[in-house]
Amino acid sequence: MTEDARKIDDFFSFDQILLDAPCSGSGTINLQNSKLEETFTKKLIEKSVETQIALLRKAINLLKPKKEMIYSTCSILASENEEIVQEILKEKKVEIVPIYFKGMDKIPLLPTTIEGTMCVCPNELYEGFFIAKMRKL
């Protein structure tokens, strides 16, 4: 199916969803880019946030009860990550499933405001990104 996910018919339902949402790419920015001020803008972030919240709401609507989904971005900005997830958590349709795996302590993490989520700090080995795992209530 080739379709904007926001337009998928509510007839469909899914056991698992991976929503790798379009974002500003703040976790992958090349600070040496001479055109950075032209491409990485407040407008880009605002448009990304609008799309992310719509996609996440739609994904939760399509997710079957008690099933899980991943929300991820290649952004390290709270406005595209924790703030989006906090907004969704207020609607009381999902809960956070804490992320943990062996070796996680070796990954450079940035602090997050939602326990159980993770935001990887960009460095010479990693690009920055955010992940939240959620279960539909």
Short mmCIF file of all heavy atoms in Angstrom, two decimals, residues 69-114:
data_model
loop_
_atom_site.label_atom_id
_atom_site.label_comp_id
_atom_site.label_asym_id
_atom_site.label_seq_id
_atom_site.Cartn_x
_atom_site.Cartn_y
_atom_site.Cartn_z
N MET A 69 3.94 -0.47 20.06
CA MET A 69 4.50 0.26 18.93
C MET A 69 5.75 1.00 19.37
O MET A 69 5.96 1.24 20.56
CB MET A 69 3.49 1.25 18.36
CG MET A 69 3.16 2.41 19.26
SD MET A 69 2.19 3.68 18.42
CE MET A 69 3.40 4.32 17.29
N ILE A 70 6.57 1.35 18.39
CA ILE A 70 7.77 2.15 18.60
C ILE A 70 7.56 3.49 17.89
O ILE A 70 7.13 3.53 16.74
CB ILE A 70 9.02 1.46 18.01
CG1 ILE A 70 9.31 0.13 18.69
CG2 ILE A 70 10.23 2.40 18.05
CD1 ILE A 70 9.82 0.23 20.10
N TYR A 71 7.88 4.57 18.61
CA TYR A 71 7.92 5.90 18.02
C TYR A 71 9.39 6.31 18.02
O TYR A 71 10.03 6.27 19.08
CB TYR A 71 7.09 6.89 18.84
CG TYR A 71 7.26 8.33 18.38
CD1 TYR A 71 6.62 8.78 17.23
CD2 TYR A 71 8.06 9.21 19.08
CE1 TYR A 71 6.78 10.09 16.79
CE2 TYR A 71 8.22 10.53 18.66
CZ TYR A 71 7.58 10.96 17.52
OH TYR A 71 7.75 12.25 17.09
N SER A 72 9.92 6.67 16.86
CA SER A 72 11.32 7.07 16.81
C SER A 72 11.50 8.25 15.86
O SER A 72 10.71 8.45 14.94
CB SER A 72 12.21 5.90 16.37
OG SER A 72 11.92 5.54 15.03
N THR A 73 12.55 9.01 16.14
CA THR A 73 12.96 10.10 15.25
C THR A 73 14.49 10.14 15.25
O THR A 73 15.12 9.60 16.15
CB THR A 73 12.46 11.49 15.70
OG1 THR A 73 13.16 11.89 16.88
CG2 THR A 73 10.96 11.51 15.95
N CYS A 74 15.06 10.82 14.27
CA CYS A 74 16.50 11.06 14.29
C CYS A 74 16.75 12.48 14.79
O CYS A 74 17.69 13.15 14.38
CB CYS A 74 17.15 10.79 12.93
SG CYS A 74 16.47 11.76 11.58
N SER A 75 15.90 12.90 15.70
CA SER A 75 16.03 14.21 16.34
C SER A 75 16.40 14.02 17.80
O SER A 75 16.05 13.02 18.42
CB SER A 75 14.70 14.97 16.25
OG SER A 75 14.77 16.18 16.97
N ILE A 76 17.08 15.01 18.35
CA ILE A 76 17.38 15.00 19.79
C ILE A 76 16.64 16.14 20.49
O ILE A 76 16.86 16.40 21.67
CB ILE A 76 18.90 15.09 20.06
CG1 ILE A 76 19.51 16.32 19.41
CG2 ILE A 76 19.60 13.81 19.58
CD1 ILE A 76 20.97 16.58 19.77
N LEU A 77 15.73 16.80 19.78
CA LEU A 77 14.98 17.92 20.36
C LEU A 77 13.77 17.41 21.14
O LEU A 77 12.99 16.61 20.63
CB LEU A 77 14.51 18.86 19.25
CG LEU A 77 15.58 19.50 18.38
CD1 LEU A 77 14.95 20.34 17.29
CD2 LEU A 77 16.52 20.34 19.24
N ALA A 78 13.60 17.92 22.33
CA ALA A 78 12.45 17.53 23.17
C ALA A 78 11.13 17.84 22.46
O ALA A 78 10.16 17.08 22.59
CB ALA A 78 12.51 18.24 24.52
N SER A 79 11.08 18.92 21.70
CA SER A 79 9.83 19.29 21.03
C SER A 79 9.37 18.25 20.02
O SER A 79 8.18 18.14 19.73
CB SER A 79 9.97 20.65 20.34
OG SER A 79 10.99 20.61 19.35
N GLU A 80 10.29 17.45 19.49
CA GLU A 80 9.93 16.41 18.53
C GLU A 80 9.85 15.04 19.18
O GLU A 80 9.48 14.07 18.51
CB GLU A 80 10.96 16.37 17.40
CG GLU A 80 10.99 17.62 16.57
CD GLU A 80 11.96 17.50 15.43
OE1 GLU A 80 11.55 16.99 14.37
OE2 GLU A 80 13.13 17.92 15.60
N ASN A 81 10.18 14.96 20.42
CA ASN A 81 10.27 13.67 21.09
C ASN A 81 9.42 13.64 22.35
O ASN A 81 8.25 13.28 22.32
CB ASN A 81 11.74 13.34 21.37
CG ASN A 81 12.54 13.24 20.09
OD1 ASN A 81 12.05 12.73 19.09
ND2 ASN A 81 13.76 13.73 20.10
N GLU A 82 10.02 14.00 23.48
CA GLU A 82 9.31 13.90 24.76
C GLU A 82 8.02 14.71 24.77
O GLU A 82 7.01 14.25 25.30
CB GLU A 82 10.20 14.36 25.93
CG GLU A 82 11.39 13.46 26.17
CD GLU A 82 12.67 14.07 25.66
OE1 GLU A 82 12.72 14.45 24.47
OE2 GLU A 82 13.62 14.15 26.45
N GLU A 83 8.03 15.90 24.20
CA GLU A 83 6.82 16.72 24.23
C GLU A 83 5.70 16.09 23.42
O GLU A 83 4.53 16.15 23.81
CB GLU A 83 7.12 18.15 23.74
CG GLU A 83 7.99 18.91 24.74
CD GLU A 83 8.41 20.29 24.25
OE1 GLU A 83 7.77 20.85 23.33
OE2 GLU A 83 9.41 20.81 24.80
N ILE A 84 6.03 15.46 22.30
CA ILE A 84 5.03 14.74 21.50
C ILE A 84 4.47 13.57 22.30
O ILE A 84 3.25 13.39 22.40
CB ILE A 84 5.66 14.21 20.18
CG1 ILE A 84 6.20 15.33 19.32
CG2 ILE A 84 4.70 13.30 19.43
CD1 ILE A 84 5.18 16.13 18.58
N VAL A 85 5.36 12.78 22.88
CA VAL A 85 4.93 11.60 23.65
C VAL A 85 4.13 12.02 24.88
O VAL A 85 3.10 11.41 25.20
CB VAL A 85 6.14 10.71 24.01
CG1 VAL A 85 5.73 9.59 24.94
CG2 VAL A 85 6.80 10.16 22.74
N GLN A 86 4.56 13.08 25.57
CA GLN A 86 3.81 13.56 26.74
C GLN A 86 2.38 13.95 26.35
O GLN A 86 1.44 13.66 27.08
CB GLN A 86 4.50 14.78 27.38
CG GLN A 86 5.73 14.44 28.16
CD GLN A 86 5.45 13.78 29.50
OE1 GLN A 86 4.35 13.32 29.79
NE2 GLN A 86 6.47 13.70 30.31
N GLU A 87 2.25 14.61 25.22
CA GLU A 87 0.92 15.01 24.73
C GLU A 87 0.04 13.77 24.52
O GLU A 87 -1.13 13.75 24.90
CB GLU A 87 1.07 15.79 23.42
CG GLU A 87 -0.20 16.36 22.89
CD GLU A 87 -0.75 17.51 23.71
OE1 GLU A 87 0.01 18.20 24.41
OE2 GLU A 87 -1.99 17.70 23.67
N ILE A 88 0.61 12.75 23.94
CA ILE A 88 -0.13 11.51 23.70
C ILE A 88 -0.46 10.80 25.01
O ILE A 88 -1.56 10.27 25.18
CB ILE A 88 0.67 10.59 22.75
CG1 ILE A 88 0.77 11.21 21.36
CG2 ILE A 88 0.09 9.19 22.69
CD1 ILE A 88 -0.55 11.45 20.65
N LEU A 89 0.47 10.78 25.95
CA LEU A 89 0.23 10.13 27.24
C LEU A 89 -0.93 10.78 27.99
O LEU A 89 -1.67 10.09 28.69
CB LEU A 89 1.50 10.14 28.10
CG LEU A 89 2.63 9.24 27.63
CD1 LEU A 89 3.89 9.49 28.45
CD2 LEU A 89 2.23 7.77 27.68
N LYS A 90 -1.11 12.07 27.82
CA LYS A 90 -2.22 12.78 28.47
C LYS A 90 -3.57 12.26 28.00
O LYS A 90 -4.56 12.35 28.71
CB LYS A 90 -2.14 14.28 28.19
CG LYS A 90 -1.04 14.99 28.92
CD LYS A 90 -1.04 16.47 28.53
CE LYS A 90 0.20 17.17 29.01
NZ LYS A 90 0.26 18.55 28.52
N GLU A 91 -3.61 11.73 26.78
CA GLU A 91 -4.87 11.22 26.22
C GLU A 91 -5.24 9.85 26.80
O GLU A 91 -6.32 9.34 26.55
CB GLU A 91 -4.76 11.16 24.70
CG GLU A 91 -4.58 12.55 24.10
CD GLU A 91 -4.26 12.55 22.61
OE1 GLU A 91 -4.34 11.49 21.96
OE2 GLU A 91 -3.92 13.64 22.11
N LYS A 92 -4.32 9.25 27.56
CA LYS A 92 -4.53 8.00 28.30
C LYS A 92 -4.96 6.83 27.41
O LYS A 92 -5.76 5.99 27.79
CB LYS A 92 -5.52 8.20 29.44
CG LYS A 92 -5.08 9.27 30.42
CD LYS A 92 -5.74 9.12 31.74
CE LYS A 92 -5.37 10.23 32.69
NZ LYS A 92 -4.03 10.27 33.16
N LYS A 93 -4.40 6.77 26.21
CA LYS A 93 -4.67 5.66 25.29
C LYS A 93 -3.50 4.69 25.23
O LYS A 93 -3.64 3.59 24.71
CB LYS A 93 -4.99 6.19 23.89
CG LYS A 93 -6.27 6.99 23.84
CD LYS A 93 -6.54 7.49 22.44
CE LYS A 93 -7.82 8.31 22.42
NZ LYS A 93 -8.10 8.85 21.09
N VAL A 94 -2.32 5.15 25.71
CA VAL A 94 -1.12 4.32 25.69
C VAL A 94 -0.35 4.52 26.99
O VAL A 94 -0.57 5.49 27.73
CB VAL A 94 -0.18 4.67 24.51
CG1 VAL A 94 -0.80 4.33 23.18
CG2 VAL A 94 0.26 6.11 24.56
N GLU A 95 0.56 3.57 27.24
CA GLU A 95 1.50 3.69 28.35
C GLU A 95 2.89 3.41 27.81
O GLU A 95 3.04 2.76 26.78
CB GLU A 95 1.15 2.70 29.47
CG GLU A 95 1.25 1.25 29.05
CD GLU A 95 0.78 0.26 30.11
OE1 GLU A 95 0.38 0.69 31.20
OE2 GLU A 95 0.81 -0.95 29.82
N ILE A 96 3.90 3.90 28.52
CA ILE A 96 5.28 3.66 28.13
C ILE A 96 5.70 2.26 28.56
O ILE A 96 5.41 1.84 29.68
CB ILE A 96 6.22 4.70 28.77
CG1 ILE A 96 5.93 6.10 28.23
CG2 ILE A 96 7.69 4.33 28.58
CD1 ILE A 96 6.24 6.28 26.75
N VAL A 97 6.35 1.56 27.67
CA VAL A 97 6.99 0.28 27.98
C VAL A 97 8.48 0.60 28.05
O VAL A 97 9.08 0.99 27.04
CB VAL A 97 6.72 -0.78 26.89
CG1 VAL A 97 7.46 -2.07 27.19
CG2 VAL A 97 5.23 -1.01 26.72
N PRO A 98 9.09 0.49 29.23
CA PRO A 98 10.50 0.88 29.36
C PRO A 98 11.42 0.10 28.42
O PRO A 98 11.27 -1.11 28.24
CB PRO A 98 10.83 0.55 30.83
CG PRO A 98 9.50 0.59 31.52
CD PRO A 98 8.51 0.07 30.51
N ILE A 99 12.34 0.82 27.83
CA ILE A 99 13.33 0.23 26.93
C ILE A 99 14.55 -0.16 27.75
O ILE A 99 15.10 0.66 28.48
CB ILE A 99 13.74 1.21 25.82
CG1 ILE A 99 12.52 1.56 24.96
CG2 ILE A 99 14.89 0.65 24.98
CD1 ILE A 99 12.76 2.69 23.99
N TYR A 100 14.93 -1.40 27.63
CA TYR A 100 16.17 -1.86 28.26
C TYR A 100 16.71 -3.04 27.45
O TYR A 100 15.96 -3.89 27.01
CB TYR A 100 15.97 -2.30 29.71
CG TYR A 100 17.28 -2.79 30.29
CD1 TYR A 100 18.25 -1.88 30.68
CD2 TYR A 100 17.58 -4.14 30.35
CE1 TYR A 100 19.48 -2.32 31.15
CE2 TYR A 100 18.81 -4.58 30.81
CZ TYR A 100 19.75 -3.67 31.21
OH TYR A 100 20.97 -4.10 31.64
N PHE A 101 18.00 -3.06 27.26
CA PHE A 101 18.65 -4.17 26.59
C PHE A 101 20.09 -4.26 27.08
O PHE A 101 20.66 -3.28 27.56
CB PHE A 101 18.59 -4.03 25.06
CG PHE A 101 19.12 -2.73 24.55
CD1 PHE A 101 20.46 -2.56 24.24
CD2 PHE A 101 18.26 -1.64 24.39
CE1 PHE A 101 20.94 -1.35 23.77
CE2 PHE A 101 18.73 -0.43 23.92
CZ PHE A 101 20.07 -0.27 23.62
N LYS A 102 20.65 -5.45 26.97
CA LYS A 102 22.02 -5.68 27.39
C LYS A 102 22.96 -4.78 26.58
O LYS A 102 22.85 -4.70 25.37
CB LYS A 102 22.38 -7.15 27.19
CG LYS A 102 23.72 -7.53 27.74
CD LYS A 102 23.97 -9.02 27.58
CE LYS A 102 25.34 -9.37 28.12
NZ LYS A 102 25.64 -10.78 27.99
N GLY A 103 23.86 -4.12 27.25
CA GLY A 103 24.81 -3.23 26.60
C GLY A 103 24.33 -1.79 26.48
O GLY A 103 25.06 -0.94 25.98
N MET A 104 23.13 -1.52 26.93
CA MET A 104 22.57 -0.18 26.84
C MET A 104 23.44 0.84 27.59
O MET A 104 23.55 1.99 27.17
CB MET A 104 21.14 -0.17 27.41
CG MET A 104 20.40 1.10 27.25
SD MET A 104 18.69 0.83 27.76
CE MET A 104 18.16 2.52 27.92
N ASP A 105 24.09 0.39 28.65
CA ASP A 105 24.93 1.29 29.46
C ASP A 105 26.17 1.78 28.71
O ASP A 105 26.84 2.71 29.14
CB ASP A 105 25.32 0.62 30.77
CG ASP A 105 26.08 -0.68 30.56
OD1 ASP A 105 25.80 -1.39 29.57
OD2 ASP A 105 26.94 -1.01 31.40
N LYS A 106 26.47 1.17 27.58
CA LYS A 106 27.64 1.57 26.79
C LYS A 106 27.30 2.61 25.71
O LYS A 106 28.17 3.11 25.02
CB LYS A 106 28.28 0.34 26.15
CG LYS A 106 28.88 -0.61 27.18
CD LYS A 106 29.45 -1.84 26.52
CE LYS A 106 30.16 -2.76 27.46
NZ LYS A 106 29.51 -3.13 28.67
N ILE A 107 26.02 2.92 25.57
CA ILE A 107 25.57 3.88 24.57
C ILE A 107 25.48 5.26 25.21
O ILE A 107 24.93 5.40 26.29
CB ILE A 107 24.20 3.45 23.99
CG1 ILE A 107 24.34 2.12 23.27
CG2 ILE A 107 23.64 4.52 23.06
CD1 ILE A 107 23.05 1.54 22.77
N PRO A 108 26.00 6.30 24.54
CA PRO A 108 25.92 7.65 25.11
C PRO A 108 24.49 8.18 25.03
O PRO A 108 23.94 8.35 23.94
CB PRO A 108 26.86 8.46 24.21
CG PRO A 108 26.82 7.76 22.89
CD PRO A 108 26.65 6.30 23.23
N LEU A 109 23.89 8.39 26.18
CA LEU A 109 22.49 8.83 26.22
C LEU A 109 22.37 10.26 26.72
O LEU A 109 23.12 10.68 27.60
CB LEU A 109 21.67 7.91 27.12
CG LEU A 109 21.58 6.44 26.70
CD1 LEU A 109 20.80 5.64 27.73
CD2 LEU A 109 20.94 6.31 25.32
N LEU A 110 21.40 10.95 26.17
CA LEU A 110 21.02 12.27 26.68
C LEU A 110 19.88 12.06 27.68
O LEU A 110 19.12 11.09 27.56
CB LEU A 110 20.55 13.16 25.54
CG LEU A 110 21.61 13.55 24.50
CD1 LEU A 110 20.96 14.20 23.29
CD2 LEU A 110 22.63 14.47 25.13
N PRO A 111 19.75 12.93 28.66
CA PRO A 111 18.63 12.78 29.61
C PRO A 111 17.29 12.99 28.90
O PRO A 111 17.20 13.79 27.97
CB PRO A 111 18.89 13.87 30.65
CG PRO A 111 19.84 14.82 30.03
CD PRO A 111 20.57 14.09 28.94
N THR A 112 16.29 12.25 29.33
CA THR A 112 14.93 12.43 28.82
C THR A 112 14.01 12.72 29.99
O THR A 112 14.31 12.37 31.13
CB THR A 112 14.42 11.19 28.05
OG1 THR A 112 14.35 10.09 28.95
CG2 THR A 112 15.31 10.86 26.88
N THR A 113 12.87 13.30 29.70
CA THR A 113 11.90 13.64 30.75
C THR A 113 10.87 12.54 30.95
O THR A 113 10.01 12.67 31.81
CB THR A 113 11.19 14.96 30.41
OG1 THR A 113 10.56 14.83 29.12
CG2 THR A 113 12.16 16.12 30.37
N ILE A 114 10.96 11.49 30.15
CA ILE A 114 10.02 10.37 30.28
C ILE A 114 10.83 9.11 30.58
O ILE A 114 11.58 8.62 29.72
CB ILE A 114 9.19 10.16 29.01
CG1 ILE A 114 8.44 11.44 28.65
CG2 ILE A 114 8.21 9.00 29.19
CD1 ILE A 114 7.74 11.38 27.31
#
